[in-house]
Amino acid sequence: MTVSTGTPGQGADARFDREAPGRDGARGSERPKGMLRRILGSHPLGLVFAAPYLIFIGVVFAYPIVFAVWMSFHDYFFAAPGAVVDRPFVGFDNYVTVLSDPDVWRSFGNVGIFLVINVPLTVALSMLLATALDRVARAKTFFRVAYYVPYVTASVAVVAVWLFLFSGNGLVNNILGPLAPDPSWLINSALAMPTIALFVTWKGLGFYILLYLAALQNVPRELYESVSMDGGGRIRQFFSVTVPSVRPATLLVVLLATITGANLFTEPYLLTGGGGPNGASTSPVLLIYQRGIEQGNPDIAAAIGVILIIFVLVIAALQRRFVGGEDR
Amino acid sequence: MKRALGSSAAMYVVLSLGALAFLFPFYYMVIGSLQTTVDPSPSGAFPDPGNLTLDNYGAINARIDLLQGLANSGIFTGGVILGTVVFGVLAGYALAVLHWRGRSATFSLVLLVQVIPFQLLMIPLYVMIARDYGLADSYAGMILPFFINSTAIIIFRQYFLQLPKELFDAARIDGAGELRLLWNVALPLVRPALLTVVLLTFIGPWNEFLWPFLITKEASMQPLAVSLANFLSNIAASTANPFGATLAGAVVLAAPAVALFLVFQRYFTSNDLGSGVKG
């Protein structure tokens, strides 16, 4: 336990020697130590500390991605464990099947509808509510808690209430009276997806409000003052200071909301009884589940997954161009 | 001055309307779970003492074992939190304090993993975990894909970075090993981060539906979210008051998470989340 000489840096090295039994022979000689240090860094133990995470990423992310791509190019089917079966390479066959399936196109179109409603609504509402929350002095905690309660609650639990609220003779239709849509919200092919988008916006808003609140902390107060010196009111301040200042956060919110849209499963599955009516609210992930697990075609499902990844990357790249976040 | 007063009143109006829209479904959830007969008219939103009962909780418990469901959810969530805290602290410490080859590459990986939609991996993961490893209907199979939370690592790293470097150097001169340094010096100083991470990590598995739904077919292994969803889509219609029973189940599923966040809400702050997502 004694490190008698040297600078703090060398102290760290001596400790490393002690904890790596294999290197006991190198103790005291500076040269091999220096070389090892150059190769592994001054704290090779860091790699040991991070190793469980790296293994986890390998097992749960890297390998499955490679496996999914491989699967999408082969005739893959479920077999009994341990059974040796032939899974021939089929080239783009699975992709041809997927791309000639109107259900697939429809599900991607549905995500499009979802994003067109969810993303602008999320950005506008969370920015507005965060700005208001940032300005007020009283009951701040109450409002903050109120907004993140839906976010921390299980989708399954709140889906149950929404089903109740938006059913044919539910509270919403009772209040709307003659204005109630017919057929009702979740069984109406024009309204099912918008209702889902509204649900997801409502549920996730608390998280995005917190993100904007963090971004607002970094906006210099002088900017607001200078606008108000020029005679600008709160609304001018909002559009000429707040909105441009939180642009990096906006880019992030847009990206995360898009990923949420690409992940959509629980809501269409439960709110609209498996993507109804007539596939009007089917999402690609729901289709992956139906094709892959229910119908036993994991190769087709993997191909849909690969296309979905490409779809997300393209959308994210487009958004980056439009929202513009290079100044991060 | 007058304008400032007017606009701050406007802020409160906006915030209050928002809060109403956010909280009303929860209020309605509780009311609905207590009604003997469903009253979907506007007056049904106000409790009528003659129409209140706890029967719905009994009805749902007769169909799905609420305690078993809660226990399964708890084991699933607890396993994820344990893995995330133990290995997340180690990785966060390595990324913030230690200098080693591959550190920046590892950090890029942590950031990258956050934007990969997990659902896209579900088919290969299902094949691997349920079919190849035979982990269907097991806690290990449920926990594995969520075992270490990347966001938590970023939060830990952020907190460790804020600690003064001299602290570590001094302890190293005194001959403390890195594990001791982490345990005795660094960890006690980042206790708020621990709580934040536990809260943040809790939401994921407690609320997760798709993954446990895929790999648990046995009712006795299903987390509450899964058994409630099955009740909702398959068997609710056969109960006397299906909405009441469903909402009672929803209250039981929602209550632990909501209660936890009400109690510890000050540890769930915008700055932590901001740093967690931005890196």
Side-chain angles (χ1 to χ4, degrees), chain A residues 19-67:
Chain A
E19 289 193 0
R23 286 193 70 254
D24 272 354
R27 185 193 287 257
S29 78
E30 285 296 324
R31 210 162 353 159
K33 204 189 291 174
M35 227 171 82
L36 203 75
R37 216 173 137 151
R38 224 168 298 132
I39 297 169
L40 295 173
S42 55
H43 301 112
L45 196 63
L47 188 60
V48 179
F49 280 10
Y53 177 72
L54 292 169
I55 294 169
F56 169 77
I57 292 303
V59 173
V60 173
F61 284 89
Y63 178 70
I65 289 176
V66 174
F67 187 24

Side-chain angles (χ1 to χ4, degrees), chain A:
Chain A
M1 290 300 281
T2 51
V3 179
S4 47
T5 57
T7 63
Q10 282 167 331
D13 250 4
R15 173 209 44 76
F16 169 60
D17 280 350
R18 209 176 48 248
E19 289 193 0
R23 286 193 70 254
D24 272 354
R27 185 193 287 257
S29 78
E30 285 296 324
R31 210 162 353 159
K33 204 189 291 174
M35 227 171 82
L36 203 75
R37 216 173 137 151
R38 224 168 298 132
I39 297 169
L40 295 173
S42 55
H43 301 112
L45 196 63
L47 188 60
V48 179
F49 280 10
Y53 177 72
L54 292 169
I55 294 169
F56 169 77
I57 292 303
V59 173
V60 173
F61 284 89
Y63 178 70
I65 289 176
V66 174
F67 187 24
V69 174
W70 183 89
M71 212 188 269
S72 71
F73 285 105
H74 289 77
D75 181 13
Y76 197 97
F77 48 88
F78 294 130
V84 181
V85 287
D86 186 31
R87 288 174 166 136
F89 177 77
V90 294
F92 283 96
D93 275 12
N94 292 321
Y95 289 94
V96 171
T97 310
V98 167
L99 291 174
S100 53
D101 183 347
D103 290 351
V104 172
W105 288 95
R106 179 133 201 215
S107 73
F108 278 89
N110 289 339
V111 174
I113 297 175
F114 175 90
L115 294 179
V116 165
I117 297 171
N118 172 270
V119 173
L121 210 55
T122 298
V123 169
L125 288 177
S126 50
M127 205 189 284
L128 183 75
L129 288 170
T131 308
L133 204 52
D134 194 43
R135 296 286 180 79
V136 301
R138 284 164 191 279
K140 223 173 178 153
T141 307
F142 164 76
F143 287 124
R144 216 160 50 88
V145 170
Y147 293 136
Y148 70 54
V149 161
Y151 170 67
V152 301
T153 312
S155 253
V156 175
V158 280
V159 153
V161 194
W162 273 61
L163 272 174
F164 195 17
L165 286 168
F166 282 83
S167 67
N169 58 357
L171 184 67
V172 173
N173 281 354
N174 270 316
I175 289 172
L176 288 176
L179 292 172
D182 178 41
S184 188
W185 304 91
L186 293 162
I187 48 170
N188 184 321
S189 57
L191 289 175
M193 203 62 202
T195 311
I196 289 174
L198 202 66
F199 172 86
V200 175
T201 308
W202 170 79
K203 180 154 187 331
L205 214 55
F207 176 76
Y208 300 115
I209 289 173
L210 286 179
L211 280 188
Y212 272 121
L213 271 177
L216 286 172
Q217 309 306 311
N218 301 326
V219 182
R221 296 276 149 180
E222 300 85 60
L223 287 178
Y224 293 112
E225 278 158 25
S226 77
V227 173
S228 97
M229 294 278 245
D230 294 344
R234 283 280 163 93
I235 293 169
R236 260 288 301 283
Q237 287 179 16
F238 180 74
F239 283 104
S240 58
V241 178
T242 308
V243 174
S245 304
V246 298
R247 215 170 62 181
T250 302
L251 183 74
L252 188 71
V253 169
V254 168
L255 180 71
L256 291 175
T258 306
I259 293 171
T260 308
N263 271 318
L264 203 61
F265 172 84
T266 310
E267 294 77 11
Y269 180 80
L270 292 173
L271 273 176
T272 60
N278 285 323
S281 63
T282 307
S283 67
V285 176
L286 190 60
L287 221 50
I288 290 177
Y289 165 72
Q290 288 169 343
R291 296 287 187 273
I293 315 275
E294 283 187 344
Q295 299 166 12
N297 291 313
D299 46 0
I300 301 285
I304 301 177
V306 171
I307 293 171
L308 187 54
I309 291 187
I310 296 168
F311 176 84
V312 172
L313 290 178
V314 169
I315 297 260
L318 286 177
Q319 283 166 348
R320 222 185 152 74
R321 273 196 87 126
F322 285 120
V323 186
E326 299 304 329
D327 51 340
R328 229 180 102 173

Side-chain angles (χ1 to χ4, degrees), chain B residues 40-129:
Chain B
S41 71
S43 65
F46 303 98
D48 163 15
N51 194 21
L52 295 186
T53 173
L54 283 173
D55 287 355
N56 292 318
Y57 288 85
I60 182 92
N61 195 40
R63 295 306 182 92
I64 58 179
D65 190 341
L66 291 180
L67 275 182
Q68 182 68 49
L70 282 174
N72 292 340
S73 293
I75 293 169
F76 176 24
T77 308
V80 172
I81 290 177
L82 188 72
T84 296
V85 168
V86 172
F87 297 114
V89 161
L90 285 174
Y93 183 79
L95 286 172
V97 179
L98 303 175
H99 299 269
W100 44 286
R101 176 161 289 249
R103 178 169 86 150
S104 58
T106 303
F107 187 57
S108 313
L109 200 67
V110 180
L111 295 177
L112 180 74
V113 162
Q114 282 193 304
V115 294
I116 296 177
F118 171 77
Q119 264 80 332
L120 306 188
L121 306 172
M122 78 184 192
I123 291 293
L125 279 175
Y126 174 79
V127 171
M128 283 162 55
I129 292 176

